[in-house]
């Protein structure tokens, strides 16, 4: 009601083609898995209302095309993002290697105010498959090296960790937004806040 | 609101209409959302409307309801005799008693109820339960008392929860009655007992309206309202379904033609009651409301303008309105100009809609048409009319320089007109003045009784009746700084005015104006005409002529400027849009024509020769192609077959294409094999790494052991595999082998199916998968066998290699047909031989080129063995079968499972070669003879090429697997065909590479043709246009720019919306439409129909028909888009949700008419 402040969190899902971006989004939003998804062309988004820290926020989750050729399209969609979800396929090492370039590309195109501390979340998808090729440790190492990005291993098919991952995403996105407000109001507090409230930690993933 | 008898009926009509509207809104919500939340704004507005009806004509005095409009008191009053009312009344009191803070707001709706009344009503209505309840509430404010009935406690619990807001407390009793489903009963009671509560002419007392009111509410009273906080309870973007459904409901009552006002659906609607939402609302009426608010506020506070005069309740009689309307009159001074503004009260802040009983935004918007905004510069005369003898206010009529009267402004009594005039005069200074000056008249009396000498009496007879005679004055506004042209006009008019006739008609100081400086100036400006002007006696006719000529000049100049603007507009159209359509308009189909039917096709296609291209295209464009004809017709449409070609020519063409396609395919298949091999190695390494880095030590050991062992043995396998792929052309196989092979295939297939069941692999199995490759397994563990091979081959085959390379260089893609066949033959052979280095040493040269059947027959044993041996310990395995030695054992189930998927993928890839073997045989026999029998693969393909193509293949594989797998055609091995066509294309266009979306473009072609080579050729033709849409080309931006121009020309309202949302310039919601020619937007059958029209349109109407399709799609939902004021993201979401649910035929028809529309505009230029 009157105290309820509506806010919109814009979340972008990036990653190589067929790592499961669309599936993750739909698993989270609609609690459904379908093996009928086609390659995403252009971009699509879903919205979902979530309650984070007793606040109702609308998450606008953008699903993008996976082929890097289509990144030029991204600028329009990346703008104003509050959180970026990097997805790779644990059975496809290349998709993991490309996380670097996805991250860089995002930072260039979205040009967030504070690129160093922009909230990312990394999801290693398809853990339900047996032929895993990227070890948890390797992924965690990478995440740690990138300013402690929270890391989750998910399965869009089985719905493993999806809810939890997106809760973190929402939380971090919200903190990012809150930080932006703080920064606007009290420029002096940037450093303090950004250190103390650093979203995410590597311990998030216990799987 | 004071009601006069005259408009009483109309007012009642309006009240009922507003109830009707709100009921409808609420029922719509109930239908579309399945439930209605108690706090929904629809509920609030319905309650508001009902309240307005009930308070109309209420006999307050008789009932002792002094000065209150609240019907709550009425409810309490009837509670004694009406059980439903009693129930509700009880509830209301309990809630009010519960939270004293909310009492004031809850007890009255629009007026504060006087404290005395509150007290009396609660006193009189106190009941046992409410008092006990109040006690309970004293301890806890939120708990419901157990002493009340169940239904009461439910309501209490909900009402007492802290979430209940002021908004929901409004119209409290009506609300509760609605929730409790007793509202109809209460109103029925009121209607039947209207005589004791209502005036005779009130709505409730009216025999018709009263019953209408109660019956209207039957529906809402049947609804169940919820307080449940579902996920959708919070405001979310409605789903596209809901938007369309709502639109259908509401467009029933309004005509949905494009010219009509867009239907106001207002589901993001928030009334005044929910101010929270109002501030964030983004829809149009909200936007306009904020503009309106700004406007109204600018009347009072404005940095740019000074408020010289302001008076409320000034009546103005706008055109087409019977009654004068009250409004706010203000006079503003800007830097240069003076503006008189009048704004109807309905638009002013604080105007309570509920009071008026009409809460419709539509009505409110209509009032804007009545608002006045007059630039004083344009006003020449100020006519003042006033009744003489008493202060009865006055009327001011402003007359513009064009002689047009502005609506009369009626000032209320009290000298306001005089004040206004003096303010006007002050405002005019120093650059202008009223003529005659006001001060001379004002000097004497405070009461604006002007000296008689200054009055002009119009009718002598009226003059007799002294008190009734109106007093009229005319002031001229003289502006010294006025533009010369205007001054000239003015002076002429002035002159006319000063002629006796004019003076008679109106009034004014006839001589007073003659000394005006303005006039003399104007006379100087017209030296030619001035002599005429000076001759006053003859001046009359001349001056009229002058007026006419001036008017003529003005009209002409206006017409000229209008024409000029139109020309500019047209030149925009011409420069930007004329290229989009053909100038020639092709006549539309006759009523009896149905596109390209079989009969028409037979008529056109005489003796297998299609000559009349124009007629052919016309039929397709306007009517489409009969589905069963498509296979025949599409090659023409795509430009694959030439018009006028004979049957034999086409047959030959097909054969050439097939040949070309197959050779090209064999080329890339060879590369594919190498790529596969490399990939497996990489994967193997990754797995090894993973397992070694992981905690699974047993696994690690096995892999390493396998690695070590693999060294020598692997090569054979790698070998066979490659030669297998690359030698489809060799035909030295016999029937025996074939039979044997088929038997084995049967077995393998069974096993494969078993495997797949286990794995739930998505790859479909088909009877056509003839050979199963052992390589993946081999490659996985052999870390570098491929490279070793290459190296060895290099050494062995030095001499041939050079020669080979040269050949390659000449023939590398894109090869011409002639060189291609040679190079292909050589390339796959070389790969085969190169890969088969070791085997070649053991076999004879001629044997080195093996038939695939032969090899696969050999290979086929492997999977069987593999399956059996998976459980065997490594040593045993190695001894038993060399090839199988590579296999990783049961130690790691993970890896064993993982192996299979690449393997099955591989086998899938191979199948087409198998299928086509006979054809290939025939074609390639001669070539294989002349090709050099041995060479190395290492020199043939650069590693960049391999890498590049490998990456492409990988992507193709991924997308093909996902492409339309729910469509029947692609449920089986046809996906392989799709992959082959795309891979061939990509191989031929490696510079372009594979891009997502190509699958979607090939798929429909393949469905129609069911033939790889024809699909490939047609796809190439299609891609000539489509390739530009992909990120490498620039067509997409051009499309967006053209869309923008088109919308600007063809739908200005939509354009305004888009223009206001800057984001719209990107038109990204059209991206997928253009990239895939609407393939993802429509179901397959519609895609076919749409594509053929697009292709035909190129020759008939427009080479950019997709633009018109896009526009048509947008226009189909324009009302929804406009009324919800969708922005960029909303539109993307809407169309993504609407995908495959459009009415394609209607969209096509609209697109064609849009083309015609633009053609007409251009033609009329």
């Amino acid at each position: 009601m009157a105290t309820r402040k509506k806010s919109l969190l814009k979340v972008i899902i990036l990653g190589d083609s067929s790592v499961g971006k669309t599936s993750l989004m739909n698993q989270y939003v609609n609690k459904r898995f379908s093996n009928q998804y086609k390659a995403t062309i252009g971009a699509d988004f879903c919205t979902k209302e979530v309650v984070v820290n007793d606040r109702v926020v609308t998450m606008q989750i953008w699903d993008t095309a996976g082929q890097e050729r289509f990144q030029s399209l991204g600028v329009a969609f990346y703008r104003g993002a509050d959180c970026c979800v990097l997805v790779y396929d644990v059975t496809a090492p290349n998709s993991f290697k490309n996380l670097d370039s996805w991250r860089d590309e995002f930072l260039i195109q979205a040009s967030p105010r504070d690129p160093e501390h922009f909230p990312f979340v990394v999801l290693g998808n398809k853990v339900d498959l047996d032929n895993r090729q990227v070890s948890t440790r390797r992924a965690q190492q990478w995440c740690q090296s990138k300013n402690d990005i929270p890391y989750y291993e998910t399965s869009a098919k089985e719905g493993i960790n999806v809810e939890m991952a997106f809760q973190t995403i929402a939380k971090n996105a919200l903190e990012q937004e809150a930080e932006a407000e703080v920064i606007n109001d009290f420029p002096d507090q940037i450093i303090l806040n950004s250190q103390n409230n650093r979203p995410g930690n590597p311990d998030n993933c216990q799987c | 609101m004071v009601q006069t008898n005259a408009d009483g009926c109309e007012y009642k009509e309006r009240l009922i209409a507003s109830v009707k509207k709100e009921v409808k809104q609420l029922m719509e919500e109930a239908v579309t959302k399945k439930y209605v939340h108690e706090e929904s704004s629809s509920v609030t507005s319905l309650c508001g409307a009902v309240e307005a009806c009930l308070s109309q004509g209420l006999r307050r005095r008789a009932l002792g309801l002094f000065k209150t409009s609240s019907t709550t008191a009425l409810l309490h009053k009837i509670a004694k005799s009406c059980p439903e009312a009693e129930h509700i009344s009880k509830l209301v009191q309990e809630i009010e008693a519960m939270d004293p803070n909310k009492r004031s707001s809850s007890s009255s709706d629009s007026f504060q109820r006087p404290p005395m009344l509150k007290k009396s009503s609660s006193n009189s209505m106190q009941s046992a339960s409410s008092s006990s309840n109040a006690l309970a509430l004293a301890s806890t404010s939120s708990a419901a008392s157990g002493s009340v009935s169940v239904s009461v406690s439910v309501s209490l619990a909900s009402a007492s929860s802290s979430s209940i807001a002021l908004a929901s407390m409004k119209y409290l009793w009506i609300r509760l009655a609605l929730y409790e489903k007793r509202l109809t009963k209460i109103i029925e009671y009121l209607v039947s007992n209207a005589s004791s509560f209502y005036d005779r002419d009130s709505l409730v007392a009216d025999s018709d309206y009263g019953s209408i009111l109660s019956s209207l509410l039957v529906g809402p009273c049947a609804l169940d309202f919820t307080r449940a906080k579902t996920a959708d309870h919070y405001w979310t973007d409605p789903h596209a379904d809901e938007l369309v459904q709502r639109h259908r409901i509401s467009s029933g009552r309004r005509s949905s033609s494009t010219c009509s006002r867009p239907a106001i659906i207002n589901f993001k609607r928030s009334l005044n009651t929910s101010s929270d939402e109002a501030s964030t609302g983004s829809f149009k009426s909200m936007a306009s409301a904020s503009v309106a608010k700004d406007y109204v506020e600018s009347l009072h506070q404005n940095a740019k303008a000074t408020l010289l005069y302001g008076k409320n309740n000034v009546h103005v009689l706008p055109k087409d309105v019977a009654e004068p309307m009250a409004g706010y009159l203000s006079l503003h001074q800007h830097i240069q100009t003076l503006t008189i503004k009048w704004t109807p009260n309905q638009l002013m802040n604080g105007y309570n809609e509920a009071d008026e009983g009409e809460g419709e935004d539509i009505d409110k918007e209509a009032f804007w048409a009545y608002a006045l905004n007059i630039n004083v510069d344009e006003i020449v005369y100020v006519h003042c009319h006033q009744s003489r003898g008493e202060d009865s206010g006055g009327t001011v009529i402003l007359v513009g320089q064009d002689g047009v009267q502005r609506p009369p402004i009626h000032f209320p009594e009290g000298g306001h007109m005089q004040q206004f005039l003096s303010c006007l005069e002050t405002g005019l200074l120093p650059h202008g003045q009223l003529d005659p000056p006001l001060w001379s008249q004002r000097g004497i009396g405070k009461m604006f009784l002007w000296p008689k000498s200054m009055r002009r009496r119009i009718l002598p007879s009226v003059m007799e009746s002294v008190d009734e005679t109106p007093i009229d004055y005319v002031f001229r506004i003289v502006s010294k700084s006025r533009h010369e042209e205007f001054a000239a006009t003015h002076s002429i008019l002035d002159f006319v005015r000063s002629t006796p006739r004019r003076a008679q008609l109106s009034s004014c100081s006839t001589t007073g104006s003659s000394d005006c400086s303005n006039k003399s100036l104007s006379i100087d400006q017209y030296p030619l005409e001035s002599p005429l002007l000076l001759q006053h006696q003859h001046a009359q006719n001349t001056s009229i002529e002058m007026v006419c000529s001036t008017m003529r000049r003005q009209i002409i100049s206006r017409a000229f400027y209008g024409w000029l603007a139109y020309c500019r507009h047209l030149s925009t159209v011409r420069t930007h849009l004329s290229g989009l359509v053909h100038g020639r308009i092709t006549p539309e189909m006759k009523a009896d024509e149905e596109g390209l039917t079989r009969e028409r096709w037979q008529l056109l296609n005489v003796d297998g020769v299609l000559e009349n291209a124009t007629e052919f295209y016309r039929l397709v464009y306007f009517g489409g192609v009969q589905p069963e004809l498509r296979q025949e017709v599409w090659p023409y449409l795509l430009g694959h077959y030439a018009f006028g070609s004979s049957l034999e020519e086409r047959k030959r063409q097909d054969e050439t294409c097939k040949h070309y396609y197959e050779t090209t395919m064999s080329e890339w298949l060879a590369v594919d094999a190498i790529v596969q091999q490399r990939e497996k190695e990489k994967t193997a390494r990754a797995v090894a790494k993973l397992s070694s880095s992981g905690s699974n030590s047993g696994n690690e050991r096995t892999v390493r052991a396998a690695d070590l062992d693999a060294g020598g043995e692997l090569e054979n396998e790698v070998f066979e595999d490659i030669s297998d792929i690359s030698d489809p052309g060799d035909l030295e196989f016999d029937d025996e082998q074939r039979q044997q092979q088929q038997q084995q295939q049967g077995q393998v297939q069974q096993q494969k199916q078993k495997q797949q069941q286990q794995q739930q692999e998505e790859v479909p199995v088909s009877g056509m998968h003839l050979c199963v490759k052992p390589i993946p397994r081999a490659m996985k563990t052999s870390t570098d066998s491929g490279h070793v091979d290459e190296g060895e081959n290099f050494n062995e085959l030095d001499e041939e290699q050079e020669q080979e390379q040269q050949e390659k260089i000449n023939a590398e893609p894109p090869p011409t047909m002639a060189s291609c066949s040679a190079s292909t033959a050589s390339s796959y052979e070389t790969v085969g031989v190169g890969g088969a280095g070791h085997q070649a040493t053991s076999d004879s040269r001629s044997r080195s080129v093996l038939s695939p059947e032969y090899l696969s027959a050999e290979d086929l044993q492997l999977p069987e063995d593999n399956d059996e041996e998976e459980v065997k310990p490594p040593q045993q395995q190695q001894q038993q079968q060399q090839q199988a030695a590579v296999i990783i054992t049961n130690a790691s189930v993970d890896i064993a499972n993982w192996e299979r998927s690449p393997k099955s993928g591989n086998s899938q890839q191979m199948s087409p070669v198998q299928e086509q073997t006979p054809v290939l045989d025939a074609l390639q026999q001669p070539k294989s003879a002349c090709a050099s029998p041995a060479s190395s693969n290492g020199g043939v393909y650069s590693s960049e090429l391999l890498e590049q193509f490998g990456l492409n293949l990988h992507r193709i594989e991924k997308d093909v697997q996902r492409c339309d797998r729910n469509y029947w055609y692609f449920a089986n091995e046809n996906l392989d065909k799709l992959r082959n066509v795309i891979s061939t294309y990509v191989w031929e266009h490696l510079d372009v590479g594979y891009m997502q979306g190509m699958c979607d473009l090939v798929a429909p072609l393949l469905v129609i043709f069911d033939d790889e080579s024809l699909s490939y050729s047609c796809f190439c033709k299609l891609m000539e246009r489509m390739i530009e849409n992909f990120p490498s080309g620039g067509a997409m931006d051009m499309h967006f720019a053209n869309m923008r121009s088109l919308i600007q020309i063809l739908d200005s309202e939509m354009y305004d919306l888009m223009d206001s949302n800057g984001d719209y310039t990107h038109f990204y919601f059209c991206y997928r439409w253009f990239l895939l020619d609407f393939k993802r937007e429509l179901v397959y059958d519609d895609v076919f129909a749409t594509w053929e029209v697009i292709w035909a349109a190129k020759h008939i109407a427009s080479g950019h028909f997709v633009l018109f399709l896009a526009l048509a799609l947008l226009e189909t939902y324009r009302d929804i888009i406009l009324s919800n004021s969708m922005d960029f993201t909303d539109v993307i979401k809407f169309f993504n949700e609407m995908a495959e649910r459009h009415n394609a035929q209607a969209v096509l028809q609209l697109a064609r008419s849009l083309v015609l529309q633009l053609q007409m505009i251009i033609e009329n230029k």
Side-chain angles (χ1 to χ4, degrees), chain A residues 1 17-18 35-39 43-45 49 62 67-70 73 76 130-133 135, chain B residues 39 235-236 276 683 690 897-898 955 958 964-966 992 994-996 1068 1071 1080 1129 1133 1136:
Chain A
M1 296 277 102
S17 71
S18 80
N35 55 1
Q36 303 292 322
Y37 296 123
K38 303 171 189 176
D44 192 3
F45 73 91
E49 303 272 349
W62 284 85
Q67 195 172 357
E68 72 279 11
R69 202 81 77 85
F70 289 88
L73 205 72
D130 295 327
N131 50 331
R132 184 186 178 117
Q133 290 190 50
S135 70
Chain B
E39 288 169 29
W235 170 81
T236 41
D276 172 23
T683 330
L690 179 70
N897 279 341
W898 159 82
R955 285 178 179 152
K958 282 192 164 169
D964 293 322
R965 44 194 158 181
N966 50 351
V992 175
Y994 171 74
M995 283 180 283
Q996 287 191 324
Y1068 275 116
Y1071 190 86
R1080 287 271 179 100
T1129 50
K1133 186 158 179 273
N1136 278 339

Side-chain angles (χ1 to χ4, degrees), chain B residues 967-1117:
Chain B
Y967 188 65
W968 63 270
Y969 183 84
F970 293 108
N972 49 35
E973 79 277 9
N974 286 330
L975 273 179
D976 298 340
K977 295 184 184 172
L978 182 62
R979 204 248 341 275
N980 289 338
V981 172
I982 294 169
S983 300
T984 310
Y985 181 84
V986 171
W987 174 249
E988 289 290 273
H989 302 84
L990 255 186
D991 51 326
V992 175
Y994 171 74
M995 283 180 283
Q996 287 191 324
M998 285 181 178
C999 281
D1000 290 276
L1001 293 175
V1002 176
L1005 297 177
L1006 206 54
V1007 172
I1008 289 295
F1009 297 128
D1010 194 30
D1011 176 281
E1012 283 184 46
S1013 70
L1014 188 55
S1015 301
Y1016 170 73
S1017 305
C1018 286
F1019 177 61
C1020 288
K1021 290 281 180 192
L1022 179 62
M1023 280 307 278
E1024 284 171 15
R1025 174 171 62 89
M1026 301 307 286
I1027 191 72
E1028 285 300 307
N1029 291 333
F1030 284 88
S1032 48
M1036 200 55 86
D1037 289 335
M1038 204 181 70
H1039 284 322
F1040 290 167
N1042 283 333
M1043 271 298 276
R1044 197 182 147 83
S1045 308
L1046 270 181
I1047 291 174
Q1048 190 172 11
I1049 297 297
L1050 297 176
D1051 188 350
S1052 57
E1053 208 178 333
M1054 177 81 86
Y1055 180 78
D1056 289 343
L1057 175 72
M1058 297 189 163
D1059 213 33
S1060 65
N1061 284 317
D1063 280 330
Y1064 258 113
T1065 52
H1066 299 295
F1067 285 93
Y1068 275 116
F1069 58 87
C1070 302
Y1071 190 86
R1072 194 171 71 186
W1073 306 357
F1074 294 136
L1075 191 79
L1076 306 180
D1077 264 359
F1078 299 87
K1079 193 263 173 183
R1080 287 271 179 100
E1081 315 313 314
L1082 306 167
V1083 294
Y1084 256 93
D1085 286 338
D1086 289 338
V1087 170
F1088 301 145
T1090 306
W1091 280 19
E1092 56 204 17
V1093 174
I1094 293 174
W1095 301 330
K1098 189 181 169 196
H1099 306 275
I1100 287 294
S1102 163
H1104 298 79
F1105 191 71
V1106 280
L1107 288 174
F1108 295 90
L1109 268 175
L1111 192 58
L1113 213 49
L1114 209 55
E1115 289 293 302
T1116 307
Y1117 305 99

Side-chain angles (χ1 to χ4, degrees), chain B residues 161-418:
Chain B
S161 76
S162 59
S163 75
I164 198 155
L166 293 183
S168 67
M169 299 299 279
K170 238 183 170 183
Y171 317 118
L172 179 62
W173 81 263
I174 300 177
R175 205 176 262 281
L176 286 173
L178 193 61
Y179 299 159
E180 300 284 317
K181 305 183 181 179
R182 296 177 196 213
L183 185 58
T184 318
K185 284 270 171 339
I186 295 173
I187 287 174
E188 270 170 12
Y189 177 85
L190 281 176
V191 168
S192 51
N193 298 288
S195 55
S196 47
F197 305 109
Y198 284 92
D199 294 337
R200 208 178 308 147
D201 59 347
S202 68
L203 186 145
V204 179
D206 190 296
S207 55
D208 294 332
Y209 289 126
S211 55
I212 290 174
L213 178 64
S214 64
S215 49
L216 270 176
L217 294 167
V218 171
C221 279
L223 293 179
D224 281 313
F225 295 89
T226 174
R227 296 197 58 86
K229 305 270 183 196
T230 61
D232 307 54
H233 156 65
Y234 299 111
W235 170 81
T236 41
D237 288 312
H239 191 271
D241 280 346
E242 194 180 326
L243 295 182
V244 174
Q245 204 177 344
R246 272 173 181 259
H247 179 65
R248 276 198 202 119
I249 294 169
S250 50
S251 60
R253 102 189 112 133
R254 294 183 188 88
S255 76
S256 59
S257 74
T258 49
C259 58
S260 74
R261 176 201 285 273
I264 303 226
I265 299 171
N266 277 359
F267 45 73
K268 285 185 193 173
R269 167 197 185 109
S270 52
L271 297 177
N272 299 340
T273 49
S274 53
S275 57
D276 172 23
E277 295 280 339
S279 56
T280 56
S282 64
F283 64 107
K284 197 177 188 181
S285 66
M286 200 43 84
S288 74
S290 76
V291 170
K293 194 164 157 264
D294 287 350
Y295 177 82
V296 169
E297 279 174 1
S298 78
L299 293 177
H300 306 297
Q301 287 180 325
N302 198 327
K304 288 179 196 148
T306 318
L307 178 64
L308 295 178
Y309 176 85
K311 173 81 190 89
N312 65 351
N313 290 330
V314 174
H315 284 78
V316 164
L317 180 63
K319 266 180 212 160
D320 315 323
V321 174
E323 289 266 306
M325 296 160 66
Y328 182 79
L329 182 76
S330 53
L331 179 65
H332 303 265
Q333 183 159 44
H334 298 258
I335 299 163
Q336 285 291 322
T337 58
L338 204 59
T339 320
I340 297 167
K341 290 180 180 176
W342 177 82
T343 316
N345 275 350
Q346 284 84 347
L347 300 176
M348 298 300 286
N349 294 350
Y351 179 81
N352 196 328
E353 287 170 8
D355 286 353
E356 302 289 329
E358 45 182 309
E360 292 191 51
D361 298 74
I362 301 168
D363 285 350
K364 198 159 183 176
E365 267 168 42
F367 283 113
W368 283 109
Y370 303 137
L372 296 180
N373 193 348
I374 303 164
N375 188 345
V376 177
D377 277 353
E378 291 164 6
I379 298 301
V380 178
Y381 295 107
V382 180
H383 294 228
C384 304
H385 306 283
Q386 194 180 31
S387 301
R388 189 151 61 135
E390 60 183 61
D391 180 27
S392 58
T395 304
V396 166
I397 299 170
L398 302 166
V399 183
Q401 50 199 351
D402 46 5
V404 175
Q405 277 194 2
R406 302 297 192 268
I409 303 169
H410 305 282
F411 286 89
E413 47 197 60
H416 293 291
M417 183 168 79
Q418 292 87 321

Side-chain angles (χ1 to χ4, degrees), chain A residues 189-203:
Chain A
Q189 292 182 351
I190 300 171
I191 302 141
L192 270 178
N193 271 304
S194 54
Q195 279 173 351
N196 295 341
N197 296 349
R198 206 46 257 135
N201 59 71
D203 302 328

Side-chain angles (χ1 to χ4, degrees), chain B residues 609-629:
Chain B
V609 180
L610 179 61
E611 294 280 8
N612 190 346
T614 326
E615 177 66 5
F616 169 72
Y617 284 134
R618 191 182 70 87
L619 285 171
V620 175
Y621 176 65
F622 287 109
V625 180
Q626 209 171 312
E628 60 270 22
L629 288 176

Side-chain angles (χ1 to χ4, degrees), chain B residues 513-528:
Chain B
S513 59
S514 59
D515 57 352
C516 161
S517 60
N518 198 341
K519 188 176 178 179
S520 55
L521 188 125
S522 67
I523 289 166
D524 291 343
Q525 278 190 324
Y526 286 83
L528 288 174

